[in-house]
């Protein structure tokens, strides 16, 4: 009954099922592993002390920024240079903007420093001036932002002096010197009262260290891939069952083997031994044959008498 599984058509179906199910299981397992990694990172982050409470270290010792060094206090010495306003940033449920200055270090590279946050819009805003001369700043280290970071404006077209994303990639086109692939946020208002009107910007948690929406997306994708694997197996069983039922019906004589369009050809007997009727041309030929046979059966005398 199941010999049809060895036909070329079913070889293709079986091959697809044999490849699709392991692939779905593999992808579901991979997504589950991603979710477990995020859970583990979250648990480890909760066990570790607050990075901002640890001793400050020179900036170069904490680079590159990763899950361990993110949020750690970093020290850098230099002079403040170019200033940018970062619009569309929310703090305490209020809309405002960051005040960012580039600290030109002794090595020549510049470190983006978020000096604080101000409410309102960045266009035409008056901000406190940055300290003059050589200063040493200590701020919480942060990784460069990307298009998925909160508050980032990647559309472009911002007015001059404004910045949509805090990253070396965004700043490299605005200044003619090298920029660190990191930035710091000052945990307190600047000394001397120059930044007293600004609020400190708290450091954000390292990317991928919390149970955010992406973590639960991984869990959802896990379920989807396993559902796909079950669906493929279910459809294969359905196709096999229907094919087996069709083969059984043919074997029992419940349905003819030939399709409904396959009828008897001309000249062949139909279901009851009756040949199909001929068309008009066939009818004329039968009448001519009958007349010839009638004449052949008559004798000359009979023919004269008639």
């Amino acid at each position: 009954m199941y010999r049809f599984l060895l036909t070329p058509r079913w070889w293709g179906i079986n091959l697809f099922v044999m490849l699709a199910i392991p692939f779905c299981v593999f992808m579901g397992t991979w997504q589950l592993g991603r979710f477990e990694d995020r859970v583990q990172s979250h648990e480890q982050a909760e066990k570790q002390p607050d990075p901002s409470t640890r001793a400050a270290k020179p900036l170069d010792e904490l680079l590159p920024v990763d899950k361990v060094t993110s949020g750690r206090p970093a020290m850098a010495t230099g002079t403040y240079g170019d200033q940018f306003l970062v619009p569309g940033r929310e703090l305490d449920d209020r809309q405002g903007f960051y005040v960012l200055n580039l600290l030109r270090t002794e090595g020549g590279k510049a470190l983006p420093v978020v000096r604080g946050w101000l409410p309102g819009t960045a266009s035409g805003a008056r901000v406190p001036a940055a300290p003059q001369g050589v200063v040493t700043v200590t701020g919480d280290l942060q990784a460069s932002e990307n298009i998925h970071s909160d508050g980032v404006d990647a559309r472009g077209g911002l007015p001059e002096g404004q910045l949509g994303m805090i990253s070396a990639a965004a700043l490299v086109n605005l200044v003619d010197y090298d920029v660190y692939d990191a930035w710091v946020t000052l945990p307190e208002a600047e000394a001397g009262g120059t930044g007293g009107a600004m609020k400190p910007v708290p450091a954000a948690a390292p990317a991928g260290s919390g149970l955010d929406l992406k973590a639960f997306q991984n869990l959802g994708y896990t379920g989807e891939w396993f559902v796909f694997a079950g669906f493929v197996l279910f459809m294969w069983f359905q196709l096999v069952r229907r094919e087996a039922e069709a083969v059984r019906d043919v074997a029992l004589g419940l349905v003819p083997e030939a399709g409904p369009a396959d009828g008897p050809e001309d000249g062949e007997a139909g279901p009851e031994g009756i040949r199909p009727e001929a068309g008009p041309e066939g009818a004329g030929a039968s009448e001519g044959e009958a007349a010839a046979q009638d004449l052949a059966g008559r004798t000359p005398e009979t023919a004269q008498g008639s």
Side-chain angles (χ1 to χ4, degrees):
M1 179 180 296
Y2 294 97
R3 291 181 179 178
F4 60 85
L5 293 174
L6 301 179
T7 59
R9 180 172 69 92
W10 273 94
W11 267 112
I13 297 175
N14 296 335
L15 180 62
F16 171 78
V17 173
M18 292 175 63
L19 295 177
I21 292 180
F23 176 76
C24 292
V25 172
F26 169 77
M27 291 300 298
T29 305
W30 180 74
Q31 290 289 351
L32 181 61
R34 295 274 296 176
F35 173 74
E36 292 176 347
D37 290 342
R38 291 181 181 273
V39 172
Q40 185 177 4
S41 299
H42 175 68
E43 293 176 349
Q44 292 178 352
E46 287 186 338
K47 294 178 181 179
Q48 293 180 356
D50 187 357
S52 61
T53 61
R54 306 177 70 175
K57 288 187 175 183
L59 175 65
D60 293 333
E61 295 183 11
L62 300 176
L63 296 178
V65 185
D66 54 22
K67 294 180 181 180
V68 177
T69 61
S70 179
R72 291 280 302 273
M75 296 185 303
T77 301
T79 57
Y80 281 119
D82 294 277
Q83 178 173 278
F84 298 93
L85 304 182
V86 187
R89 299 307 173 105
E90 186 175 331
L91 184 65
D92 297 334
D93 297 329
R94 299 177 62 189
Q95 284 292 331
F97 58 93
Y98 293 166
V99 179
L100 181 145
N101 284 80
L102 294 178
L103 183 71
R104 300 288 302 272
T105 63
E106 298 175 353
K109 297 183 70 174
L111 173 67
V113 179
V114 174
R115 296 169 48 221
W117 174 91
L118 287 172
T121 59
S123 300
R126 299 180 61 182
V127 300
Q132 299 295 320
V134 179
V135 295
T136 298
V137 299
T138 302
D140 296 334
L141 187 63
Q142 300 281 266
S144 291
E145 293 181 335
N146 54 58
I147 59 175
H148 302 293
S149 301
D150 294 337
V152 166
D153 184 0
R155 296 173 297 176
L158 293 175
E160 185 178 359
Q162 295 187 20
L163 184 67
M165 179 170 59
I166 307 174
S167 70
L171 288 165
V172 71
N173 297 323
L174 302 177
V175 296
D176 56 358
Y177 42 84
D178 293 335
V179 180
Y180 281 104
D181 190 18
W183 57 283
V184 297
T185 175
L186 300 183
E188 298 178 356
E190 294 169 342
T194 57
M198 295 187 293
K199 289 187 177 181
V201 177
S209 62
L211 293 180
D212 52 5
L213 180 60
K214 292 183 179 179
F216 291 101
Q217 285 180 344
N218 293 132
L219 187 61
Y221 294 151
T222 299
E224 288 181 1
W225 281 113
F226 285 121
V227 169
F228 290 158
F231 178 75
V232 171
L233 189 60
F234 170 77
M235 290 303 300
W236 183 81
F237 276 114
Q238 286 291 97
L239 292 175
V240 171
R241 182 179 63 83
R242 292 181 182 181
E243 189 81 7
E245 289 178 353
V247 172
R248 181 193 62 188
D249 292 343
V250 171
L252 295 177
L254 299 178
V255 293
E257 295 187 16
D262 297 335
E265 297 181 358
D266 293 342
E268 293 182 355
E272 297 181 2
I274 301 177
R275 296 179 180 272
E277 295 182 359
E281 295 180 358
S286 299
E287 292 176 0
E289 291 177 359
Q293 291 177 359
D294 182 56
L295 291 174
R298 293 183 181 184
T299 60
E301 294 79 10
T302 307
Q304 293 176 358
S306 62

